Amino acid sequence: YFHADGFLRPFLPFTANEDENSVSLARWKLLPYIVKNEEEASKYANTLNARCEDVFDKFSYRHYIGKTHGLLWVNGFFEPHRPNPKISVPYFIHAIDSLPFTLGCIYANWVNKDTGEIIRTFSIITTPPNKLLSEIHTEGQRMPLIILPEERKTWLHATNKDEIIGLMKPLPDGYLAGYQVSNIINKERGLNTADTLNRISQ
């Protein structure tokens, strides 16, 4: 993927704590056990992202936050910048060294009751923003939980509530950079072409 649209529930590269030495595909949008089939899945609440402040309390997440942690492997992510309420300008956020990095997630191995198929589904944890993201993601004032390499194993296997809360913190400044990209990604649902990453001169 160059641009993965969460509302289309794509399958993305993922490491789960039950198989920490491999990367396999998991589907974006956590589906808890009460969801019976694809029809219900398409209508279920938006669980693409899970706010760190809510994960121990909200029904969709509370069964999983203490048990099933995962890592989503990305080269970057998109965030909207709103200079005023009528304008949304997309930015691409990436690591300063341009290497892949990991987002902290929780997941559920969801069973489609109609087919018996088991699909790993996940939500990305979000935190308050660091300085860079507070300047870019001005409306939402959030950022994904980024797990640094030295914390990956700890995140995958954390089960104590206080330890988990301690890991769900904004990434310090100095690791990420961002640049403006074309507004076309706001206009064409599911657009997935290399030019979505092209820098727009400012």
Side-chain angles (χ1 to χ4, degrees), residues 13-176:
F14 193 86
T15 293
N17 59 4
E18 59 191 349
D19 192 11
E20 65 177 284
N21 295 315
S22 70
V23 177
S24 58
L25 295 179
R27 196 168 191 183
W28 196 359
K29 185 180 177 179
L30 186 147
L31 298 176
Y33 63 89
I34 63 166
V35 178
K36 296 183 176 62
N37 51 39
E38 274 295 326
E39 181 181 2
E40 290 188 9
S42 65
K43 299 175 183 177
Y44 191 70
N46 181 357
T47 53
L48 297 175
N49 299 326
R51 293 170 58 93
C52 66
E53 298 91 341
D54 302 330
V55 289
F56 285 98
D57 301 315
K58 286 199 171 181
F59 174 82
S60 295
Y61 311 124
R62 69 189 186 205
H63 303 283
Y64 308 105
I65 183 59
K67 297 179 291 185
T68 50
H69 294 182
L71 299 167
L72 177 65
W73 294 85
V74 299
N75 289 312
F77 55 91
F78 296 87
E79 294 288 6
H81 173 64
R82 291 188 180 273
N84 66 62
K86 295 183 178 180
I87 298 176
S88 179
V89 179
Y91 273 69
F92 181 67
I93 315 300
H94 60 93
I96 286 179
D97 58 13
S98 298
L99 293 175
F101 56 99
T102 50
L103 308 185
C105 305
I106 53 175
Y107 69 91
N109 291 323
W110 175 68
V111 180
N112 184 329
K113 304 297 193 304
D114 287 348
T115 65
E117 183 181 15
I118 300 174
I119 301 173
R120 183 168 289 146
T121 64
F122 69 90
S123 294
I124 299 170
I125 304 287
T126 68
T127 73
N130 60 16
K131 184 175 185 295
L132 174 69
L133 268 296
S134 70
E135 294 171 351
I136 292 176
H137 197 186
T138 47
E139 183 179 54
Q141 287 292 291
R142 304 295 294 176
M143 69 179 294
L145 171 61
I146 297 173
I147 304 295
L148 294 173
E150 61 269 24
E151 293 183 327
R152 286 172 185 160
K153 185 176 288 289
T154 303
W155 169 254
L156 287 175
H157 297 289
T159 56
N160 177 273
K161 182 175 181 179
D162 289 339
E163 183 181 24
I164 294 169
I165 290 172
L167 290 165
M168 294 190 299
K169 59 186 184 297
L171 182 73
D173 286 297
Y175 288 93
L176 301 175

